[in-house]
Amino acid sequence: LIKWVKKTLGWVLEIVVRTDKQKQFEVLPKRWVVERTFAWFESYRRLSRDYEYSPNTHEMMVYLATIKLILNRMARKNPSNESNMFQSAK
């Protein structure tokens, strides 16, 4: 898989594994990013279970959820009232 990702996509895939030696919680590098993203997707009903018949449809739902997350984040960073938006468009 690692070689295929490097050859096909040009990405470096790093798999972070948990060791069974750990007796307590320990933050693993980069793993929290993936787990956080999956947690964000759980808030979307269609992504919380495997409702889709087609993998393509599921992929599009992931894209839509990601777009919504990004737009919400952008809206929080740039608060403006509607009157200013409509005046600048004229």
Side-chain angles (χ1 to χ4, degrees):
L1 176 65
I2 295 173
K3 290 178 184 176
W4 179 86
V5 169
K6 178 69 174 169
K7 180 181 173 187
T8 307
L9 304 173
W11 298 345
V12 176
L13 178 65
E14 178 184 351
I15 299 173
V16 179
V17 290
R18 180 182 58 90
T19 63
D20 291 331
K21 296 176 186 176
Q22 296 172 340
K23 294 182 180 178
Q24 59 187 10
F25 176 78
E26 182 179 331
V27 177
L28 299 174
K30 302 291 182 183
R31 187 175 177 113
W32 67 272
V33 175
V34 175
E35 291 175 0
R36 177 198 63 196
T37 305
F38 287 157
W40 286 341
F41 289 156
E42 285 295 316
S43 65
Y44 296 95
R45 185 185 66 81
R46 291 193 61 173
L47 295 176
S48 64
R49 300 277 184 255
D50 192 13
Y51 290 115
E52 311 302 334
Y53 290 109
S54 166
N56 292 334
T57 306
H58 184 79
E59 181 181 1
M60 290 303 120
M61 289 298 151
V62 170
Y63 287 142
L64 289 172
T66 305
I67 289 168
K68 184 175 183 224
L69 288 168
I70 291 169
L71 289 175
N72 286 340
R73 187 171 298 163
M74 289 172 60
R76 279 193 314 239
K77 287 186 178 180
N78 299 318
S80 63
N81 59 25
E82 291 182 11
S83 62
N84 287 342
M85 288 183 359
F86 290 121
Q87 288 174 359
S88 63
K90 291 181 182 179

